[in-house]
Amino acid sequence: MSQNTPPNFRVIRRNFGHWDVGIEGYGRAFAIRGGPGAYYVRDERPEGERKSIQNFATVQACMSYICDLLMWELLVAEGQ
């Protein structure tokens, strides 16, 4: 995978309070765990960022955080 291309990822709901976000070619990258008002995101990316745990009130907030980390575009404009 190119460093200039964001990875493809998928979201799998295992059961209540258990969601996994996988990155193509790596496996599980993030684990969402918890329940209403007390969800957390565990960063399991292979780059050694496992230390990161964030707390959120909803699964939607967890996904917004994860998407912000994974969905980016390298835009090159003339003169920049």
Side-chain angles (χ1 to χ4, degrees), residues 38-41 53-57 62:
Y39 291 97
Y40 67 92
V41 173
I53 293 179
Q54 301 291 326
N55 296 297
F56 300 95
C62 293

Side-chain angles (χ1 to χ4, degrees), residues 6-78:
N8 292 324
F9 63 94
R10 67 184 186 291
V11 179
I12 299 169
R13 180 176 182 246
R14 293 175 53 198
N15 53 44
F16 293 107
H18 286 89
W19 296 76
D20 293 334
V21 179
I23 294 179
E24 180 181 25
Y26 290 117
R28 186 168 70 193
F30 297 92
I32 299 173
R33 300 292 186 265
Y39 291 97
Y40 67 92
V41 173
R42 187 174 60 236
D43 189 339
E44 297 183 352
R45 289 179 288 176
E47 293 85 31
E49 299 182 28
R50 233 183 209 302
K51 64 187 182 307
S52 174
I53 293 179
Q54 301 291 326
N55 296 297
F56 300 95
T58 65
V59 171
Q60 292 86 343
C62 293
M63 285 306 302
S64 179
Y65 170 75
I66 292 168
C67 288
D68 184 53
L69 294 174
L70 296 180
M71 295 177 70
W72 52 271
E73 294 182 298
L74 179 62
L75 300 177
V76 179
E78 187 175 337

